[in-house]
Structure formats: structure tokens, C-alpha cells
Amino acid sequence: MYLYSHMFFTGLLLGLVLDGLTNLCFVNMKHNNRITVIFIIAIILFIISLLIGNTIGNSIGFISLGIYLTALSLALAGIQSSWRKYVYIAVILVTSTFYIVYFL
């Protein structure tokens, strides 16, 4: 169980990294297209996890679930930068709280 929760929270953080990379690399791209790219990456990872199977495939599936949830929350936050900052803060706060509780 802990393996999959670690992979899920890693996926949440990886979703933030992917969003930051799409903002950095594709400056002229609209917000909807950036979020669509992140959704497509999550779907491709999920398909790969189904093809692999076993424990490694399940781990990749939970990473894709975290990326998908991050992309969904960023899509719901919209184009306003203040709401996107709240999503970033919430994901980082939840992930850091999980790891602090886990290691203590």
C-alpha cells in the first residue's frame, strides 16, 4: 500500500513539473492546449502501465493517476494565475505533509 501511495504523490509532483515545463517551453501555447498535453501524457503512461502489468505496471499507473489529478485540478483552476498558484501550493503542502507524517 505504501508503494502505491508514494507513486501517487510522485505523480502529483510530476504533474506540477510537467505543467512548469510546458509553461517554460511553450510560451505561446494556450492554457487549454497545455493541459491537454499533460492529459495525453497521463493517458499514455496509463496505457503503458496496462501493457507492462505486475507491480511495476501498477506503480506507473498510480503515477499516471497523480499526473491526471494534477492536470484536472489545474484545468478546473483555469487560466487565472492566482488559482493556479493555490493548486501548486495545495499539492506541495499535501505531499510534504504526507511525507512528514510517514517519516515520523
Side-chain angles (χ1 to χ4, degrees), residues 21-91:
L21 284 175
T22 56
N23 282 334
L24 184 67
C25 295
F26 306 112
V27 178
N28 296 330
M29 190 182 287
K30 291 192 291 183
H31 174 73
N32 295 337
N33 295 338
R34 288 186 199 141
I35 297 301
T36 305
V37 167
I38 298 172
F39 276 128
I40 290 171
I41 291 171
I43 290 170
I44 289 171
L45 278 176
F46 183 72
I47 291 171
I48 290 172
S49 74
L50 289 176
L51 293 175
I52 293 175
N54 294 335
T55 305
I56 295 173
N58 290 338
S59 299
I60 294 172
F62 275 96
I63 288 174
S64 70
L65 181 66
I67 293 171
Y68 181 78
L69 186 65
T70 302
L72 182 66
S73 60
L74 286 171
L76 291 176
I79 200 165
Q80 296 177 350
S81 64
S82 61
W83 285 102
R84 294 186 65 207
K85 288 177 188 175
Y86 292 144
V87 170
Y88 269 75
I89 290 170
V91 167

